[in-house]
Amino acid sequence: MEFVVAKDYADMSRQAADLIAACIKENPNCKLGLATGSTPEGLYDELVVDFETGELDFSGVTSFNLDEYRGLDHDHEQSYHYFMRKHLFDAVNIDPANTHVPDGSNPDAATACRAYEEAIRAAGGIDIQLLGIGHNGHIGFNEPAADFPKYTNCVDLTESTINANSRLFDSVEEVPLQAYTMGIGTIMKARKILVVANGSGKAAIVRDAFFGPVTPFVPASILQFHPDVTVIVDEQAAALS
Ligand code: GLP
């Protein structure tokens, strides 16, 4: 594991964008695993700048997002479909047909999750998977639990995640109670993993996930066993590590 302490959010975002940009330059047909949340917004802005300045070409890139709320349609402003269009897809030349986000609008969870896992497999797997981290150590929407989910699955969101994410909804009652997410096994199969975290609110979980024991009660801790992980955090998020 490479643990990089960036000066601040802007520096974290630029360094993370550089890693993703390097993958695209090395393989213009690469498969990107993407994440939502506030943390990666800055790095998406950087990738858009790289596209606008002619540094990056997304025309051959395929993407798979980690997760999506169950029950939100693709145009819902809090859906991850919407987030990705707003922060990246509509601003670069990626072919929309090559972008994938779990289909939260499909009420048939088993079918939606199986189809997603199969689509990743059929594409040949993910070259670089971007991850944020939840305050409870979740990655994607894999919440602390007694074991590590292997495949894309439907999860019940914990109260702490619902409360944390309610800041983006009009009220906590509007936050969906479930989500479809790549499993921990799906994530661990990515050839390279990039984790970003910033702010003092993430300092304790960064310490626990990357320097504590590996346990499904801190889902991100499993990343310590991945052979190619880069964690980029700002100084505040690194403060307890
Ligand atoms: C959500 C997403 C995660 C994300 C986490 C942290 O729950 N499902 O993928 O990492 O929030 O979000 P933020 O970056 O806003 O702290």
Side-chain angles (χ1 to χ4, degrees):
M1 180 181 80
E2 197 180 344
F3 189 77
V4 179
V5 182
K7 202 161 62 348
D8 51 22
Y9 181 72
D11 186 28
M12 178 204 81
S13 301
R14 188 61 250 171
Q15 291 199 48
D18 284 347
L19 269 189
I20 295 177
C23 287
I24 298 173
K25 286 179 187 166
E26 190 187 317
N27 174 10
N29 300 117
C30 70
K31 316 290 184 280
L32 299 181
L34 299 177
T36 54
S38 323
T39 314
E41 286 182 12
L43 82 87
Y44 290 139
D45 290 346
E46 295 289 338
L47 291 176
V48 170
V49 170
D50 287 350
F51 167 71
E52 286 170 346
T53 55
E55 273 282 300
L56 277 184
D57 174 12
F58 287 80
S59 60
V61 169
T62 295
S63 70
F64 289 94
N65 263 78
L66 281 168
D67 49 11
E68 177 60 286
Y69 290 111
R70 184 183 192 196
L72 296 193
D73 67 48
H74 301 182
D75 290 326
H76 190 290
E77 287 195 15
Q78 299 313 330
S79 75
Y80 290 167
H81 280 82
Y82 185 93
F83 176 102
M84 288 310 302
R85 289 200 303 275
K86 178 174 165 196
H87 290 283
L88 187 67
F89 299 157
D90 285 354
V92 299
N93 67 336
I94 194 166
D95 181 346
N98 291 338
T99 66
H100 304 83
V101 181
D103 187 4
S105 70
N106 183 350
D108 181 346
T111 303
C113 293
R114 207 178 314 112
Y116 202 67
E117 192 73 25
E118 174 53 25
I120 295 171
R121 199 199 58 75
I126 289 167
D127 294 306
I128 182 166
Q129 177 66 56
L130 171 65
L131 298 173
I133 183 168
H135 290 96
N136 61 5
H138 73 228
I139 47 177
F141 265 132
N142 294 283
E143 299 282 31
D147 58 8
F148 293 109
K150 291 189 180 65
Y151 307 109
T152 303
N153 66 108
C154 179
V155 294
D156 295 329
L157 301 179
T158 61
E159 206 178 321
S160 87
T161 298
I162 291 170
N163 287 333
N165 292 3
S166 67
R167 72 188 192 279
L168 304 166
F169 289 79
D170 289 338
S171 69
V172 70
E173 289 74 33
E174 285 180 33
V175 184
L177 302 177
Q178 292 184 312
Y180 299 155
T181 180
M182 284 185 195
I184 294 290
T186 326
I187 293 169
M188 287 293 279
K189 273 186 263 177
R191 287 177 269 282
K192 196 179 190 50
I193 290 184
L194 167 62
V195 187
V196 285
N198 71 288
S200 53
K202 294 285 173 73
I205 195 61
V206 164
R207 174 199 60 205
D208 294 349
F210 303 114
F211 301 96
V214 173
T215 160
F217 293 104
V218 181
S221 65
I222 191 79
L223 300 172
Q224 294 180 43
F225 290 158
H226 191 282
D228 189 353
V229 181
T230 303
V231 180
I232 307 181
V233 301
D234 71 353
E235 284 180 358
Q236 291 184 332
L240 299 175
S241 298

